[in-house]
Amino acid sequence: MGVAKLLQAARSEWSGTLICLFQPAEELAEGAVAMIEDGLYDYKKYGVPKPDMVLAQHTHAVRAGRITLSPGPILTAIDSLEVRIFGKSGHVCRVDLCIDPVLIACSCVVRMQSIVNKEVRPEEFAGVACSSSHGGNAANIVPDFVDFKVTIRSYTPTIHERIVEAAKRTICAECEISKAPEPQIKHFMKAPSTINDERSEAILKREFSAYFGEDSTALYPFGASEDFSYLANACGAPCLFGMFGCIDPNLWDLKEKEGKPNEVPHHSTNCARIIQPTMTKALDALALAALTLLDGPEKAS
């Protein structure tokens, strides 16, 4: 809303069509797809034309006031799997009569850690993680099933497909080895990688450096994921995704002085985000990006 207000106030300085979107459910990687499937780019339905460029930004765990942007791959593709391993319940005194889904799940998690090491080229980034596992509620009873969740991230589509297939293959093989029933594997989060357009990034980088000075810095790929790129891919448009710092400058400066910037809390209960100058710089960055890439007033009809 703030960026839209700024650009409306500067309407005499640009020409073209500005589309402002509020993307819901980003944390679930579902919002962009839902908008597209609902007919976002169906002009007869909503009157929204297909854009020539798609812009977005997000908070980042760096010093508040910094604006970060870089060309090429920025955010990873993501596939998240919800897995249920079935077993055969019974008392631990007769484990010979049981099929232990806890052991199978543990074997799956450990085995999947070898996928990146054994199936991905060293120069490629990829990650496989399991951060949620639940099964049973008694120390002496083998449960009927165990649920766990897996997240897979990478930048390259072919590599990503290989890792997803390897994870599923590993889970099914571990169940087969233990004579367990076929596991249940469901996708609950999926999004492609986000790749910044190099030509447009170079143009914006010059403008950002002139406007923000030393607060305009490079955005290094760090493995996070977003569903924003669906909005660009759906209409074949290039995109740019930047990030703006939100961490308390006092805390950031302290950690930087200590050589421990990675200890700044983010996505945690101790996250040290502040409102200002975060919001002002974020509004300025997105508005400046739009003004730079829109046509100038001399081209207005």
Side-chain angles (χ1 to χ4, degrees), residues 75-140:
L75 303 177
T76 60
I78 182 173
D79 270 84
S80 290
L81 309 176
E82 196 170 63
V83 181
R84 172 162 290 186
I85 303 294
F86 298 98
K88 185 178 179 182
S89 183
H91 199 281
V92 295
C93 68
R94 290 302 308 273
V95 291
D96 56 307
L97 301 177
C98 305
I99 297 176
D100 189 351
V102 175
L103 178 60
I104 299 171
C106 289
S107 297
C108 289
V109 173
V110 172
R111 178 71 180 179
M112 282 189 290
Q113 300 311 300
S114 70
I115 292 175
V116 174
N117 178 259
K118 300 299 182 183
E119 302 200 29
V120 178
R121 292 172 61 91
E123 66 270 22
E124 291 278 355
F125 170 85
V128 179
C130 173
S131 300
S132 174
S133 180
H134 302 276
N137 53 24
N140 61 336

Side-chain angles (χ1 to χ4, degrees), residues 230-245:
Y230 278 123
L231 296 172
N233 295 348
C235 60
C239 68
L240 283 175
F241 187 93
M243 304 192 85
F244 52 92

Side-chain angles (χ1 to χ4, degrees), residues 179-206:
K179 297 182 179 180
E182 184 176 338
Q184 184 181 88
I185 304 175
K186 298 179 179 179
H187 281 262
F188 71 93
M189 184 180 292
K190 185 177 181 68
S193 58
T194 298
I195 301 175
N196 277 348
D197 181 63
E198 295 190 9
R199 178 179 174 277
S200 301
E201 190 277 342
I203 295 171
L204 277 195
K205 196 67 175 180
R206 289 195 298 269

Side-chain angles (χ1 to χ4, degrees), residues 21-59:
L21 299 178
F22 294 87
Q23 178 188 333
E26 171 264 327
E27 294 292 346
L28 302 176
E30 295 177 353
V33 172
M35 295 168 73
I36 293 165
E37 291 179 346
D38 188 52
L40 172 64
Y41 295 133
D42 182 346
Y43 191 79
K44 293 181 179 179
K45 187 172 185 179
Y46 291 118
V48 176
K50 292 183 178 181
D52 298 310
M53 169 63 70
V54 185
L55 304 174
Q57 59 182 11
H58 197 286
T59 56

